[in-house]
Amino acid sequence: MAQAVLTASATLVPFNRGVEVKVKQWSKLFSGFSRRSGTTRFTFPMNKNNNNNKSTRSGVGALKFASSAIGVNRGVADISEAQTSPRFYSWPDNKKPRVCILGGGFGGLYTALRLESLVWPDEKKPQVLLVDQSEHFVFKPMLYELLSGEVDEWEIAPRFTDLLAGTSVLFLQDKVKSLHPTDHLGRNGPARSTCGGTIHLESGLLIEYDWLVIALGAETKLDLVPGAADFALPFSTLEDARRVENKLRTLERRNFGKNSLIRVAVVGCGYSGVELAATISERLQDKGSVQAINAEKTICPQAPPGNREAALKVLSTRKVQLILGYLVRSIRRAENVESSEKPVGGGVVQEVSTESDSEKYILELQPAERGLKSQILKADLVLWTVGSKPLLLQLEPCDRPHELPLNARGQAETDETLRVKGHPRIFALGDSSTLRDSNGRALPATAQVAFQQADFAGWNLWAAINDRPLLPFRFQNLGEMMILGRNDAALSPTFIEGLTIEGPIGHAARKIAYLIRLPTDQHRLKVGISWLTKTAVDSIASVQSTLSKVLSSS
């Protein structure tokens, strides 16, 4: 099967459509523009840099005016005879349905693969385009193993082009700028060629679609307290993991052979904070100390009791200090100065301050309830795991505001079939949507929910395109897992109440479960062989170490 993967240099079709403005006064004022029978022709290019262009290459200044009908650049359009026209993405087939998926996380990628696995009539098999700003898919539940060295980057962060090489799914690396849906305006009939809307990308490319899946995910919210955005590191993406790894390596090199400890502060004791604290404390061992801060009086308050107890046991053996019932009020850089003597004129010796070669940070903590005193912590590295905000909020508003119904957090309101309310051709899932279970509780923003939603979204797209009834989504909680070290984890399945598998057995079970969940069969096979090889090598090394100890003692 031919590889059908696109990059940002995809084939483009110029779209030379201007806006005719029949106002004779404009022609008199601006003689540089072309005239046709008394009509002045203006072109409105959709370019992300238009707002910053103060002049054109020909020296003709760009004219800006507000227009509520056009809806380009928030109602402000640039008029320039030197700029190019908008570019539209060229779909391979103009007759088949066009499905565009925004976001290549668990929701987006697995929806695309689900569509690929279904059986379609030849004339209705859709063209599927996956758009993501990164070139890598990231299996986020296993990012922690990058810090412990248990997995390699290619195993949990393969390139989209590699994953989709054997499929008909197209890939485009770009960032979404704005959405312009039209399916709520009554323009769509049963014909499959009817356009459902347009997507505007940061590169200036425009994509027309028939069906849209929004799965843009979320990012860590760093604006909750002063200084967090400047001095704390999140841990949610591959780039975040790389930054944390580089920072840890720098600190380890700096403290090599010294008695000083590497101090790490982890803000938040949910699953992510606890897994980070356990992983980093195991890595640093006696060379560092980890302090985990949480506003509540317990860690992982939503976790099953067995997982929570297993985590507390591991953290206590790793000497992780839990600071519970405290809020971080601010984070600032420590004023680390060292005194030195510097000779000045007249032989007078003056003491001057020189900055230390390493950055340290001060965390001001305030109690979340009465009875506790404020605290001051000093850290070499601050990791932030509290709060998230949907990336759907970052999109620019289009010409008709509030076209997508959003809740207070910026998530799209959907019905039970995962369709956005009022938009029959748009589906939203994962962190981009809000959905409640049968008890009225909001579904958690976990990989497990996104996995299951992707399966339903793919099926409901098939049903919608083939005029079949759509299925309501029902979340089935299969259990929860957490990593606690290179050979330690906790797993609480729901099919046996009260059961918690922990330690090496839990670690192996978690790894097998995630191996099964990897995106494609080919990638699953490669990673499985790699993990088996590593396990065999580690086992041989452990046996050799044990034998050497026995022989040396005898």
Side-chain angles (χ1 to χ4, degrees):
M1 184 179 296
Q3 177 175 342
V5 181
L6 297 181
T7 59
S9 60
T11 304
L12 306 177
V13 176
F15 188 74
N16 299 316
R17 183 183 300 171
V19 178
E20 299 291 336
V21 184
K22 297 184 179 180
V23 183
K24 294 183 179 180
Q25 288 80 354
W26 288 96
S27 303
K28 295 179 182 179
L29 291 174
F30 303 98
S31 58
F33 295 109
S34 61
R35 296 184 180 182
R36 294 182 183 177
S37 303
T39 299
T40 305
R41 182 177 182 89
F42 301 101
T43 301
F44 298 87
M46 294 185 181
N47 190 298
K48 66 179 180 179
N49 297 318
N50 283 353
N51 290 338
N52 299 324
N53 290 342
K54 297 182 180 179
S55 62
T56 62
R57 285 175 292 181
S58 59
V60 180
L63 172 67
K64 297 183 178 180
F65 71 97
S67 171
S68 61
I70 297 172
V72 179
N73 293 331
R74 299 189 181 183
V76 179
D78 292 355
I79 305 177
S80 172
E81 62 180 3
Q83 292 178 338
T84 60
S85 299
R87 303 171 299 157
F88 270 72
Y89 174 78
S90 178
W91 291 88
D93 194 327
N94 293 327
K95 296 181 179 180
K96 292 185 177 181
R98 302 166 295 181
V99 177
C100 187
I101 301 175
L102 305 180
F106 292 117
L109 176 63
Y110 285 68
T111 298
L113 295 175
R114 175 62 169 159
L115 289 171
E116 179 73 10
S117 67
L118 295 172
V119 178
W120 296 86
D122 290 338
E123 72 279 4
K124 288 191 175 182
K125 181 176 173 59
Q127 306 162 90
V128 180
L129 175 64
L130 180 66
V131 181
D132 195 274
Q133 60 182 332
S134 173
E135 65 174 332
H136 294 269
F137 163 74
V138 182
F139 201 92
K140 290 187 177 182
M142 300 194 74
L143 274 177
Y144 311 95
E145 279 90 323
L146 286 179
L147 300 182
S148 64
E150 190 175 349
V151 302
D152 296 323
E153 189 172 295
W154 70 268
E155 295 172 344
I156 65 166
R159 287 183 172 86
F160 286 109
T161 51
D162 296 332
L163 290 175
L164 301 174
T167 72
S168 62
V169 178
L170 310 172
F171 173 66
L172 181 63
Q173 185 181 348
D174 210 330
K175 186 177 181 179
V176 182
K177 184 177 182 181
S178 61
L179 303 178
H180 301 265
T182 58
D183 57 347
H184 63 304
L185 301 178
R187 299 178 183 177
N188 287 297
R192 63 176 179 270
S193 61
T194 305
C195 179
T198 306
I199 302 161
H200 189 188
L201 303 180
E202 286 285 353
S203 64
L205 188 65
L206 302 177
I207 302 175
E208 287 185 333
Y209 64 85
D210 298 319
W211 304 89
L212 178 65
V213 178
I214 303 175
L216 292 171
E219 66 179 6
T220 306
K221 194 173 185 179
L222 291 171
D223 55 356
L224 296 175
V225 301
D230 297 322
F231 307 122
L233 295 181
F235 195 81
S236 177
T237 67
L238 179 61
E239 290 72 23
D240 294 339
R242 288 170 175 170
R243 282 192 289 267
V244 174
E245 172 65 23
N246 291 336
K247 181 67 175 179
L248 284 173
R249 286 185 179 180
T250 300
L251 292 172
E252 288 168 338
R253 287 196 298 266
R254 186 204 69 186
N255 283 34
F256 182 76
K258 298 181 180 179
N259 293 326
S260 59
L261 295 177
I262 299 172
R263 289 169 292 187
V264 179
V266 179
V267 182
C269 288
Y271 267 111
S272 181
V274 169
E275 289 175 306
L276 266 178
T279 301
I280 293 177
S281 62
E282 182 185 51
R283 170 172 172 164
L284 296 179
Q285 297 183 2
D286 295 334
K287 298 179 295 183
S289 64
V290 177
Q291 295 172 310
I293 308 156
N294 200 41
E296 299 192 44
K297 284 287 192 175
T298 183
I299 66 171
C300 301
Q302 305 300 324
N307 279 12
R308 190 184 309 116
E309 293 171 4
L312 285 171
K313 182 170 60 177
V314 169
L315 294 179
S316 63
T317 59
R318 305 268 175 82
K319 298 180 181 180
V320 175
Q321 181 185 0
L322 295 176
I323 305 176
L324 305 178
Y326 279 88
L327 298 169
V328 178
R329 185 167 57 187
S330 67
I331 305 174
R332 69 177 188 272
R333 182 183 286 112
E335 297 178 357
N336 291 332
V337 295
E338 297 175 355
S339 297
S340 61
E341 294 182 350
K342 178 181 178 181
V344 293
V348 179
V349 178
Q350 179 182 2
E351 285 191 358
V352 297
S353 297
T354 60
E355 294 186 2
S356 177
D357 58 353
S358 63
E359 290 186 346
K360 297 184 184 297
Y361 307 101
I362 299 295
L363 289 82
E364 297 184 14
L365 308 185
Q366 67 179 26
E369 57 185 47
R370 295 180 180 179
L372 299 175
K373 295 182 179 180
S374 300
Q375 294 190 37
I376 300 294
L377 299 183
K378 181 178 287 188
D380 300 292
L381 173 62
V382 181
L383 301 177
W384 191 272
T385 68
V386 179
S388 63
K389 54 184 177 181
L391 292 176
L392 190 58
L393 276 175
Q394 296 184 1
L395 302 187
E396 292 185 2
C398 57
D399 51 330
R400 290 174 295 275
H402 309 298
E403 284 188 341
L404 293 181
L406 305 180
N407 63 6
R409 292 193 66 241
Q411 298 169 307
E413 296 279 357
T414 61
D415 59 22
E416 288 186 327
T417 65
L418 303 179
R419 285 193 299 189
V420 176
K421 294 180 179 179
H423 293 268
R425 288 179 173 260
I426 302 179
F427 292 79
L429 53 154
D431 294 300
S432 295
S433 69
T434 176
L435 200 62
R436 299 184 179 275
D437 59 18
S438 57
N439 298 321
R441 294 173 298 187
L443 294 178
T446 62
Q448 184 181 177
V449 173
F451 281 140
Q452 297 183 27
Q453 286 183 332
D455 191 52
F456 272 78
W459 173 263
N460 281 343
L461 273 167
W462 180 93
I465 294 173
N466 289 281
D467 299 321
R468 302 290 183 86
L470 277 62
L471 296 176
F473 174 71
R474 294 291 183 267
F475 173 61
Q476 183 180 3
N477 188 2
L478 302 177
E480 299 182 15
M481 300 182 291
M482 62 191 310
I483 185 72
L484 297 170
R486 283 187 62 92
N487 201 32
D488 208 339
L491 187 154
S492 294
T494 57
F495 52 84
I496 302 179
E497 186 176 355
L499 174 64
T500 299
I501 305 172
E502 55 184 292
I505 298 177
H507 183 271
R510 175 182 177 272
K511 215 166 184 181
I512 293 173
Y514 282 150
L515 178 64
I516 296 172
R517 281 295 191 178
L518 290 178
T520 65
D521 292 338
Q522 185 178 10
H523 184 66
R524 199 176 298 123
L525 177 61
K526 291 180 180 178
V527 173
I529 293 173
S530 176
W531 288 356
L532 285 174
T533 303
K534 291 177 182 177
T535 301
V537 172
D538 291 343
S539 300
I540 294 173
S542 178
V543 171
Q544 290 177 340
S545 176
T546 303
L547 289 175
S548 63
K549 289 180 181 179
V550 172
L551 293 175
S552 62
S553 61
S554 62

